[in-house]
Amino acid sequence: MKFSMERAALLEALGHVQNVVERRNTIPILSNVLMSADNGVINFVATDLDIEISESTSADIAVSGDVTAPAHTLYDIARKLPDGSEVSLSVGSDGRLEVDAGRSHFVLPLLPAGDFPKMTADDFTHDFVLGAAELSRLIDKTKFAISTEETRYYLNGIYFHAIDGKLRCVATDGHRLALCEMKVPDGADGLPGVIIPRKTIAEVRRLIDGLSETIEISVSEAKIRFKVGSAVLTSKLIDGTFPDYDRVIPKGGDKKLVVDNGVFASAVDRVSTISAEKSRSIKLTLEGDNLTLAVNNPEHGNAREDLMVDYGAENLEIGFNAKYLLDVTTQIEARDIHFALSDPASPALVKDPEDDGALFVLMPLRV
């Protein structure tokens, strides 16, 4: 195999696929990227056996063929080469990959292309299209609440489903919940609930970052596929049952709190400076239109700050994890953040007045 291409095109293609490759692999071939050159097109493929990403780009191909080379090493070489340089890749007489650009020369080991695992294509039952901005919003408003607890594997992703004419994404770790929805696109009606893994979400978000084009999505019972320009990401889904999240969304919440989001976030950040690392608990005391944020840490002292708010209901004391509060404030686009509260033991419902399609639930802490 022998081909040459511009450094920027090589870097972009490798950048799209190499992130899926784990830094440490017990199976050597999984550390490599498969490069297939034919008919003026080179196709790059990388996989971790759960996710497969491929990217096609044009190249000047002298000799067709397939090889696999170390993904991260090849990416680092491309990244460090000068802008505008022409990169030539070829298999040498010793069976190793030779990479040449200007006066730079690299030789890399290869593994047989025939050993590279291919992800089987499923019979996808639903095909639909989303704008990159729409998909970014669905991901960004929910991904922060994905659980990292491996024992509850069914919470290690975003629950993606169609319900009541809406395409909805939900994530929860048992302490907080994030929900974001939009009008269901053509082809997604009746989409069964699927759980998209955390790593897949991160890779898709990286692929669509800054794009304005549309994304083609295909879903089956076991896999999901995203087509982003010339890149295709196929991923296994989490085989589990997502909990009945609707039960934990508060329906009462008669105590309404409205506070300037930026002022509130800054105050929470300041006061939580001395909170215990493990619980990060902060107490909110509401009396009339005054909100007191307080932290009492036996080891590091205490802190408090008063804020003017729009409240007016009966007095209330309730505790939350400060980090979780701050995570929610970053998702609010309006000037104000709206809380619906019931009592110290009930979850709080948080909404963005400028985004009816998103809501957040925070479980209280005992303080």
Side-chain angles (χ1 to χ4, degrees):
M1 186 195 77
K2 183 176 182 179
F3 69 92
S4 62
M5 62 193 303
E6 210 268 323
R7 175 250 182 194
L10 178 64
L11 184 65
E12 182 182 11
L14 287 171
H16 282 165
V17 302
Q18 61 92 30
N19 256 42
V20 78
V21 177
E22 298 289 351
R23 287 284 175 183
R24 293 180 180 177
N25 266 308
T26 53
I27 306 171
I29 195 78
L30 296 183
S31 297
N32 283 18
V33 57
L34 172 66
M35 296 179 285
S36 305
D38 195 24
N39 290 330
V41 174
I42 175 119
N43 191 44
F44 298 85
V45 183
T47 184
D48 65 357
L49 297 181
D50 291 322
I51 305 172
E52 178 184 278
I53 302 182
S54 68
E55 169 88 36
S56 297
T57 187
S58 56
D60 185 5
I61 298 170
V63 180
S64 298
D66 305 322
V67 298
T68 78
H72 292 303
T73 307
L74 196 55
Y75 174 75
D76 285 340
I77 290 170
R79 184 170 55 85
K80 293 174 182 179
L81 288 173
D83 278 340
S85 55
E86 188 76 10
V87 187
S88 172
L89 295 93
S90 60
V91 178
S93 56
D94 58 356
R96 296 192 294 174
L97 182 69
E98 297 184 3
V99 183
D100 292 282
R103 295 185 177 184
S104 300
H105 178 72
F106 304 88
V107 179
L108 301 178
L110 296 175
L111 288 173
D115 293 347
F116 194 84
K118 295 284 184 73
M119 189 174 280
T120 56
D122 272 30
D123 292 327
F124 294 105
T125 55
H126 291 76
D127 299 279
F128 55 96
V129 173
L130 286 182
E134 293 172 324
L135 184 56
S136 296
R137 172 179 165 271
L138 290 172
I139 292 174
D140 291 344
K141 296 275 186 181
T142 53
K143 68 178 180 179
F144 71 92
I146 297 174
S147 174
T148 55
E149 196 179 317
E150 297 301 329
T151 53
R152 302 171 79 186
Y153 66 93
Y154 49 85
L155 298 182
N156 294 162
I158 289 178
Y159 186 51
F160 193 64
H161 60 303
I163 182 170
D164 298 332
K166 303 284 186 182
L167 183 64
R168 183 179 290 177
C169 284
V170 183
T172 181
D173 60 6
H175 306 290
R176 57 206 170 148
L177 178 145
L179 180 153
C180 187
E181 63 185 16
M182 58 173 284
K183 185 176 181 293
V184 69
D186 292 340
D189 274 320
L191 178 72
V194 296
I195 308 172
I196 308 172
R198 181 175 61 243
K199 183 177 178 181
T200 304
I201 291 294
E203 289 304 314
V204 169
R205 185 63 185 87
R206 197 173 55 82
L207 275 178
I208 65 177
D209 191 38
L211 296 182
S212 57
E213 57 197 88
T214 56
I215 317 300
E216 296 176 35
I217 303 173
S218 302
V219 183
S220 73
E221 279 189 8
K223 292 192 180 80
I224 188 165
R225 184 178 66 200
F226 298 86
K227 293 184 78 172
V228 186
S230 57
V232 179
L233 184 151
T234 308
S235 170
K236 293 179 181 176
L237 297 166
I238 293 176
D239 183 13
T241 303
F242 201 78
D244 181 8
Y245 63 87
D246 195 53
R247 288 192 305 113
V248 304
I249 299 175
K251 303 298 190 290
D254 55 326
K255 299 176 178 68
K256 309 297 183 185
L257 166 64
V258 179
V259 56
D260 183 296
N261 187 51
V263 172
F264 178 71
S266 298
V268 169
D269 194 27
R270 280 191 293 271
V271 174
S272 66
T273 305
I274 62 165
S275 64
E277 273 304 310
K278 192 172 182 183
S279 68
R280 298 273 308 202
S281 63
I282 184 169
K283 183 168 75 172
L284 282 64
T285 304
L286 285 155
E287 295 179 353
D289 282 341
N290 185 75
L291 167 62
T292 301
L293 302 172
V295 170
N296 188 8
N297 186 338
E299 292 181 15
H300 300 292
N302 55 61
R304 59 173 285 164
E305 185 165 337
D306 293 327
L307 299 177
M308 290 297 295
V309 298
D310 181 3
Y311 180 59
E314 63 187 68
N315 294 354
L316 178 67
E317 282 190 1
I318 189 167
F320 293 107
N321 180 305
K323 181 184 181 301
Y324 296 168
L325 275 176
L326 289 172
D327 283 344
V328 169
T329 61
T330 61
Q331 303 306 319
I332 305 299
E333 295 167 15
R335 194 197 69 167
D336 293 334
I337 182 171
H338 289 202
F339 290 83
L341 306 164
S342 295
D343 57 67
S346 297
L349 181 66
V350 187
K351 286 194 170 183
D352 182 344
E354 289 186 5
D355 188 350
D356 290 338
L359 63 84
F360 312 95
V361 178
L362 291 172
M363 299 302 290
L365 291 177
R366 293 174 66 182
V367 289

